[in-house]
């Protein structure tokens, strides 16, 4: 083998190693499990996939990632905010909705899902209790959609402060 060919082979091998290490570092920083990515809505790895849809539950959703791990499909939701001391109920229910969509699409519920914040990750077990809480919330939301008059929710002053209707709302907390 000529010296030029040997150097080219060495250069290509080192380039491949550098690319692999770079990809491995990106994967570790992403907080994703180590398995193959089955679905992505972020565009970070590939073109975003179509939303998941369940005819049975009349529910659609776009998890940031679905990752296969040990024979299970794990939903991952990425948030740009800092990790709170405990995950917000809305984030837990959003992740539970993705777990329900995975259960419906793949025929097997995921054991858990992940909520990845900018500085930490929560592992949320997909329990029968969380599933029931989600289904009850969906039923309540659907009944409110059919109601003639629904009062706004003012349980969260911070959310109220950022609401586009705050200036016209007679019940503003902000």
């Amino acid at each position: 083998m000529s010296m030029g060919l040997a150097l080219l082979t060495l250069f290509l091998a080192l380039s491949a190693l550098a690319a692999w290490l770079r990809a491995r570092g990106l994967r570790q920083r992403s907080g994703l499990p180590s398995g193959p990515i089955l679905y992505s809505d972020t565009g970070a790895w590939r073109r975003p996939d179509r939303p998941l849809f369940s005819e049975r539950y009349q529910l659609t959703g776009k998890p940031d990632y679905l990752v296969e791990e040990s024979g299970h499909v794990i939903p991952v939701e990425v948030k740009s905010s800092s990790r709170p001391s405990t995950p917000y109920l809305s984030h837990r229910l959003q992740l539970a909705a993705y777990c329900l969509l995975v259960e419906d699409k793949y025929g097997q519920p995921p054991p858990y899902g992940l909520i990845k914040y900018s500085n930490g990750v929560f592992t949320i077990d997909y329990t029968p209790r969380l599933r029931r809480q989600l289904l009850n919330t969906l039923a309540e939301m659907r009944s409110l959609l059919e109601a003639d008059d629904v009062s706004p929710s003012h349980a969260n002053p911070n959310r109220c402060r950022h609401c586009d209707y705050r200036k016209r709302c007679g019940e503003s907390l902000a």
Side-chain angles (χ1 to χ4, degrees):
M1 180 185 302
S2 73
M3 180 61 102
L5 187 56
L7 288 174
L8 178 62
T9 303
L10 179 62
F11 172 76
L12 291 174
L14 290 175
S15 296
L17 177 62
W20 180 80
L21 289 171
R22 192 170 37 255
R24 184 171 163 225
L26 283 171
R27 179 69 174 251
Q28 287 173 336
R29 286 191 300 279
S30 74
L32 295 175
S34 59
I37 296 172
L38 304 177
Y39 176 99
S40 171
D41 185 50
T42 65
W45 298 88
R46 60 183 187 209
R47 184 181 58 76
D49 290 320
R50 296 179 64 186
L52 300 179
F53 176 70
S54 168
E55 182 74 35
R56 177 178 180 191
Y57 297 105
Q58 289 299 295
L59 183 66
T60 189
K62 295 168 61 173
D64 289 317
Y65 298 100
L66 294 180
V67 180
E68 186 179 342
E69 182 180 64
S70 302
H72 296 283
V73 178
I74 308 299
V76 180
E77 178 60 20
V78 179
K79 301 292 184 188
S80 59
S81 59
S82 294
R83 182 183 187 271
S85 56
T86 60
Y88 300 118
L89 177 59
S90 60
H91 293 177
R92 289 172 47 86
L93 290 175
Q94 180 183 12
L95 185 68
Y98 297 148
C99 289
L100 186 66
L101 288 166
V102 165
E103 178 183 345
D104 192 59
K105 179 176 174 72
Y106 295 96
Q108 177 183 18
Y112 65 92
L114 300 172
I115 304 173
K116 165 78 170 91
Y117 293 92
S118 64
N119 60 341
V121 178
F122 281 110
T123 299
I124 307 296
D125 291 333
Y126 184 54
T127 62
R129 181 173 181 234
L130 180 59
R131 187 180 190 276
R132 275 191 312 275
Q133 185 179 19
L134 170 67
L135 293 175
N136 290 339
T137 301
L138 290 172
E140 182 181 351
M141 290 170 64
R142 289 186 176 115
S143 71
L144 290 173
L145 284 172
E146 295 173 5
D148 291 333
D149 187 28
V150 178
S151 298
S153 171
H154 286 95
N156 184 336
N158 192 40
R159 178 175 275 175
C160 189
R161 221 176 272 110
H162 294 94
C163 177
D164 291 337
Y165 297 101
R166 180 173 42 96
K167 293 178 182 171
R168 291 174 280 190
C169 178
E171 302 176 37
S172 175
L173 299 176

